[in-house]
Every structure is written in structure tokens, then in C-alpha cells.
Amino acid sequence: MSIEIANESGVEVDTDAVLAVARHALDEMGVNPLAELSVLLVDVDYMTELNHRWMGGDGPTDVLAFPMDEGSVDHGPGETAQAGGEPALLGDIVLCPEVAAKQAATAGHSPADELHLLTVHGVLHLLGYDHAEPEEEREMFALQARLLSSWRSTRSR
């Protein structure tokens, strides 16, 4: 699994942990091991610009997910490998550590925990999950919680 990460946020972040939680989520979801993912950490100004340009939102948001090619995602072992064995380009996850830190304070956990949650959230969006409807939200958030819990249990061994 190829995961590229770039921290352009100006905030100190444990990028190894962000990579590890993303890899764990992709592995647990049975994503093709040739898949490629990009994670970008940005400052509030750039996240505000992205949120406005792509989502029509005002102000910064915590995470944005930009799927590359939804047809190229291998959701699990039941699907056949892509012709030619080309890697699936999952897309980009954009995180804003400053927004994550504010949300973490409100939620009562660490900024690192919030970034891990947002990373898994972004991965699930790239895999086609959404939370616009109540049933979708229940499914996505339960899966998100399960993935975070299993990742944390592997780290504590």
C-alpha cells in the first residue's frame, strides 16, 4: 500500500501514526494492496479555501476527501484484481490539525486522537461511505469506531 503524506500545516503532527491508522483502515476494509493514497495536512486558510471551492462551505472544516477514481477501488477479496495489476488511485485526504485540535478539546480527547479519527473518516469517504442520511451515518460511524478501536488495540500490544 502506497501512502504519501505531506505536512504543510505548520503544526507538529505524528505523521507516522496518521500513516499507520490509514494503512490499518485500508487493510481492514480489504482494499487492494496496490492502492495509493495521499494525505495532506494544511493550515486553516488553505482548508477554508478548499472547503469553499469544493464544498460550498464557509470557514475551515476538519477533513475533506477527494476520491480519484471510484471505479478503481477494490473493496475486498471477492472482487477480481484490476486488469494489468495497476494500482488503484484512491484519492486524497486533506486534514486540518488546527481545526482538529479545537474539536478534540470540545470532545475531551487529544488532538492526535482526533486526527486519527478524521483520517479513518476520510478513508471511509474515499471508499464510498457517507453520512448524509441517518442510516448511512449509523453505518459509517459504527465502522469508524470499530476501525479505530481495532487500530488502538494493535498499538497497545
Side-chain angles (χ1 to χ4, degrees), residues 5-154:
I5 189 162
N7 185 356
E8 299 175 4
S9 69
V11 175
E12 183 84 20
V13 171
D14 181 354
T15 54
D16 289 343
V18 171
L19 285 173
V21 74
R23 179 166 279 115
H24 178 81
L26 292 168
D27 287 345
E28 289 292 306
M29 294 301 294
V31 172
N32 184 328
L34 297 176
E36 296 178 6
L37 170 68
S38 170
V39 180
L40 178 63
L41 297 112
V42 300
D43 64 18
V44 168
D45 291 340
Y46 192 57
M47 186 58 108
T48 300
E49 181 184 324
L50 289 175
N51 190 33
H52 178 72
R53 183 182 329 150
W54 297 105
M55 305 304 291
D58 289 326
T61 190
D62 49 6
V63 59
L64 291 171
F66 298 99
M68 273 303 178
D69 181 7
E70 294 181 26
S72 71
V73 177
D74 179 354
H75 288 283
E79 291 186 15
T80 58
Q82 289 179 254
E86 288 296 312
L89 299 174
L90 294 178
D92 303 317
I93 297 171
V94 183
L95 302 167
C96 186
E98 291 171 86
V99 172
K102 288 179 184 158
Q103 290 177 179
T106 302
H109 54 242
S110 74
D113 284 343
E114 185 72 12
L115 278 175
H116 303 156
L117 180 149
L118 295 173
T119 300
V120 170
H121 190 85
V123 164
L124 291 175
H125 273 306
L126 291 181
L127 296 178
Y129 289 86
D130 201 0
H131 47 85
E133 300 297 324
E135 183 56 38
E136 292 176 331
E137 182 175 335
R138 278 190 294 279
E139 179 186 8
M140 183 176 179
F141 284 55
L143 185 53
Q144 178 177 290
R146 183 181 65 75
L147 290 168
L148 281 167
S149 176
S150 66
W151 180 68
R152 288 182 182 127
S153 71
T154 64

